Amino acid sequence: MSGSGTVRPGRLRRTRSGVLAPVLALAAGTLGAASVPAPPAAALTPPVGFTADALSTYQTNGIVWTLAEAGGVVYAGGTFSGIRPAGSPAGSNTTPAVNFAAFDAATGAPTGCSLSFTRAGGTATVRALAVSPDKSTLYAGGYFNAVNGTAVNGLTAIDTATCRPRAGFAPQFGATVRALDVASDGTVYAGGDFQTVNGTARRFFGAVTAAGALTGWNPDADEPGRALRVTPDGDSVLIGGDFFTVGSTASHALAVTSASTGAVTHAYGASFIPRSAVIKDIVTDAESDGWYAAGEGAGGASFDGRLAMELDGFAQRWRDTCQGATQALRVYQGVLYAGSHVHDCSTMGGFPNQTRKHLTAQSVDDPDLLGWLPDTNDGIGEPVGPRALTVSSRGGRDFLWVGGEFTTVNGAGQQALTRFANTPDTGAPAAPAVSVSAPRAGEVKVSWRSSLDLDDSLLTYRVYRDGGSAPVHTTTGSSLFFSRPQLTFTDRNVVAGRTYSYRITASDGTNTGALSAAASVTAASSASPYQEQVLADGADLYWRYDETGGAFAADASASGNGGVYTNAPSYRSTPSAVAGSAALSLNGTNEYVYTDRLHHYTSPTPYSVETWFRTTSTSGGRIVGHGNNIGTERGHTSSVSDKLVYLTNDGRLAFGVQSGSARPTITSAGSYNDGTWHHAVATQGPSGMVLYVDGEAVGANPATGNRSYNGFWRVGGDAMNNAWPDRPTSDYFAGQVDETAVYPSALTAAQVAGHHELAGAPPGPGDSTVTLTPEQDAYVNSVAANTNYNDNQLASRGSTAYLSYLRFTLPSAPAGQVLKSARLTFRTSSDSTAGSADSHSIVPVTGAWTASAVTYNTRPALSTSVLGTITGAASVSTDHSAELDASALDGALGSVSSLALTSSGTDSLRIWSSEATAAYRPQLVLTFGVE
């Protein structure tokens, strides 16, 4: 992202060195795949100052339009008739509160200050609250003509110590008051729909003294006022609203006026705020020497975001152009918090048009969104979600209060009010989504999608292997809800043929999330020739589709361009296009994969797109391409597309780009919807476009230009404009895809042919691995000596003994090979006593037994030799392994053999048996190789 604002020459801008760098790099799509140099995670990632954990807070039964605070009390005004405790459904436990309520900032409970704002006719409402600088007086404005039965008209003053309206303060406003602020001299400035104050003409803005007398401040706008703020020096009043002229000066939606006369001292021309936009809120911040304005517009070309302006000279510092009308702002410790329904930040290099988010944060120095994202829903009313923000302190803690139209907060029922504190942070990050692969001999690659924490963008990740209690790798990484980059750890302490299991946690420094689901892989003895060549030729996105499930598609390249599986396509389809790899099946309706972070292409940068596909579809579909959105629904699919490889209804392959208003496209003469695998490569570079199928060029086009924009790679489908030649009936591809890669260069014909030729090449010779699941297993219990335990668990203990038995049919060694290693892998059960601090021996069984009949009294004889020892299996529901003496097992190859688990200790071990879920069953892993 980058701000579109200007900085006055010679003026130094306030910065926070080192705080924003990780977030800025992430937003620009430059976060690396490996360990990211960054400080350790803290409970809140600076400069964020509030947690995303919503606190228990009373609710209203209608809309809260405005908030103010004084002395640890938060005042709420709006259109409602009652309040109720947190957790109470609408209509229950309601206490009367007519358009006004006061709450303890620290507890969220009512203070007892009760006032009723009413009208003789029409619907009364409180739309603006402001507190005098000395905190002694609360001013309330809106559409009402009585407070507790006493006549007032649109504005009243309340003594904060007694919660009573001030006698004698009775200015008369001709219509709704929507904005208030109080100067240090006691002058009360107001904006709204009124055109008279105390019977004197004051169009949409006016001011009264602390006694209620009209002042000379008269901006004389031509349309309603919605926001205003007195500058810290007291010399100016910043006004915002619908207006186009202030006095005789043209200045739309925003103007700086003299605090004494209302005359415009700084105007903003017609192009500064679009005519279709208004300003809904203004706040000032002396520490950053700035003021900030909230925009609400209509249409994509309008202004819905935030403005950061200078207090000295009133020029623009930066502009946020996200879409989603901003209603309320507050600054706290250098961060601008906003209530809006932001849904599209693509013009800022951020997320595309997607689901609305309602609470966001930005540094006062930069428009980039920070990692703070609690959320509400839209709620009732217009609906737009939050309408008001305020910050209050009490009991040594600071609180951000939010009011509005919403009826849920962070997914839980909560109406119109919520609050967040600066401490403590209790929300843990989500568990990472993990994928593992064995790309070459001596390596296991562990990749994961970075986790999401709603108030911590910088997280610490710990990788655990084979159920160990100590991490084998620790790193940090930054993520935001719209950009969750892939992180990677390469484990080089592995042995070919052995199976390794990995789990990962994410921590914000205070809270650690749950362990990820275990992901296992058998270390390879050699690499895939196809994969090695793809990487050697420079792929910076390479999806092999070897995951067994989940939403994370790992990138096999070094660039960390992970993907997101959408709508659960069918994983690990066979046969695959490339030896040793699986494929992905897509339904042709709504299944696809998209990149987890933004990519920017500037024409005429060269590139290549490569994929394998297989289909019998006669509806065509978009196989792979670049687009500016990631969703499935209309409005959330791409409105801009480029670099497309698609299939026509008759099975021909097309490759097209956008260049100005033209769409240069190559279409093959032959059809490829014959149910067999085909290799497609599309390149564009200084020599133009070339489309290759099955290693040979099938067409060329001299066009070198394409569309320059921010977007996402998508495989499987997206919206397609009718202007694309031979546009297929379906936007989505029905069939299988495999080995999709994108390169920052135009591959040569020789490279393309080489890739096609290598697809069928198996890995070179090396060790071979056999994994065996027990044919039978059971355990016995000395306390119930005649009982047979043939169920989904096994057990081992010395005192009051448990013994377990496992039977395997061992294969003979392959010709020319010997047994090089053996290991027993298992998972402790979920029983609370499953883990054991004791050692447990694995010994050969010499006597006869059957799983359905063995008991403690009929237990088989055991060998005196020990094949291996289980240690460190102290945690429940974790994966473990124990190395076995391969030389001792060698003599049993080619026969049926049994192993027993025994112990001399007192701490029992419980593991899943062969009757448990397949992923939890014990396994005997044998590795054979040349002696």
Side-chain angles (χ1 to χ4, degrees), residues 764-785:
D767 293 346
S768 58
T769 300
V770 176
T771 302
L772 307 173
T773 300
E775 297 171 355
Q776 294 188 48
D777 54 18
Y779 79 95
V780 298
N781 180 357
S782 63
V783 175

Side-chain angles (χ1 to χ4, degrees), residues 631-725:
T632 306
E633 302 173 4
R634 289 291 176 187
H636 295 170
T637 50
S638 294
S639 59
V640 176
S641 291
D642 191 31
K643 307 170 184 66
L644 301 189
V645 177
Y646 60 96
L647 207 67
T648 65
N649 287 352
D650 58 4
R652 291 176 296 143
L653 196 66
F655 165 40
V657 300
Q658 280 193 269
S659 182
S661 60
R663 284 180 168 81
T665 303
I666 303 166
T667 306
S668 69
S671 295
Y672 302 99
N673 56 346
D674 54 6
T676 61
W677 281 108
H678 294 285
H679 180 226
V681 179
T683 71
Q684 189 177 27
S687 299
M689 303 164 61
V690 183
L691 176 63
Y692 301 87
V693 181
D694 295 336
E696 297 183 356
V698 298
N701 188 301
T704 59
N706 53 65
R707 188 77 178 257
S708 300
Y709 67 103
N710 294 322
F712 307 83
W713 286 106
R714 289 178 54 142
V715 174
D718 196 0
M720 288 188 67
N721 190 290
N722 289 330
W724 288 105

Side-chain angles (χ1 to χ4, degrees), residues 123-376:
T123 301
T125 183
V126 174
R127 290 301 182 98
L129 295 171
V131 177
S132 62
D134 64 3
K135 305 293 186 180
S136 66
T137 305
L138 170 70
Y139 293 92
Y143 186 61
F144 50 83
N145 56 22
V147 179
N148 285 1
T150 300
V152 293
N153 197 357
L155 181 65
T156 190
I158 301 157
D159 185 284
T160 57
T162 63
C163 189
R164 294 177 181 172
R166 269 181 36 204
F169 184 84
Q172 301 293 302
F173 283 78
T176 305
V177 173
R178 298 183 181 273
L180 290 171
D181 199 16
V182 187
S184 59
D185 65 0
T187 300
V188 182
Y189 294 89
D193 300 342
F194 55 85
Q195 297 196 46
T196 62
V197 178
N198 292 350
T200 301
R202 286 292 187 270
R203 292 199 305 167
F204 308 115
F205 291 97
V208 296
T209 67
L214 185 67
T215 75
W217 186 71
N218 183 18
D220 192 34
D222 64 335
E223 293 287 346
R226 297 176 181 265
L228 57 80
R229 194 69 57 183
V230 181
T231 57
D233 61 12
D235 292 341
S236 302
V237 179
L238 314 168
I239 63 172
D242 301 29
F243 51 82
F244 293 89
T245 61
V246 180
S248 59
T249 303
S251 189
H252 172 52
L254 201 63
V256 182
T257 67
S258 164
S260 57
T261 66
V264 173
T265 58
H266 193 99
Y268 297 92
S271 62
F272 190 76
I273 301 291
R275 291 184 62 84
S276 56
V278 301
I279 294 298
K280 299 298 291 288
D281 197 14
I282 298 172
V283 296
T284 60
D285 179 47
E287 183 183 353
S288 63
D289 194 24
W291 57 287
Y292 306 88
E296 177 182 271
S302 193
F303 175 62
D304 266 356
R306 273 75 70 186
L307 289 173
M309 311 289 288
E310 299 285 358
L311 279 170
D312 180 8
F314 305 109
Q316 178 177 290
R317 179 182 292 166
W318 53 256
R319 179 181 294 235
D320 168 339
T321 58
C322 293
Q323 294 293 308
T326 306
Q327 304 296 314
L329 302 172
R330 277 299 179 273
V331 175
Y332 174 78
Q333 294 185 356
V335 173
L336 178 67
Y337 294 88
S340 70
H341 57 263
V342 59
H343 57 89
D344 185 354
C345 287
S346 55
T347 57
M348 297 254 298
F351 58 93
N353 189 27
Q354 286 294 298
T355 304
R356 291 178 169 191
K357 305 293 183 181
H358 298 85
L359 293 168
T360 58
Q362 298 155 292
S363 165
V364 293
D365 300 318
D366 195 282
D368 295 326
L369 292 181
L370 299 173
W372 185 79
L373 208 79
D375 202 13
T376 73

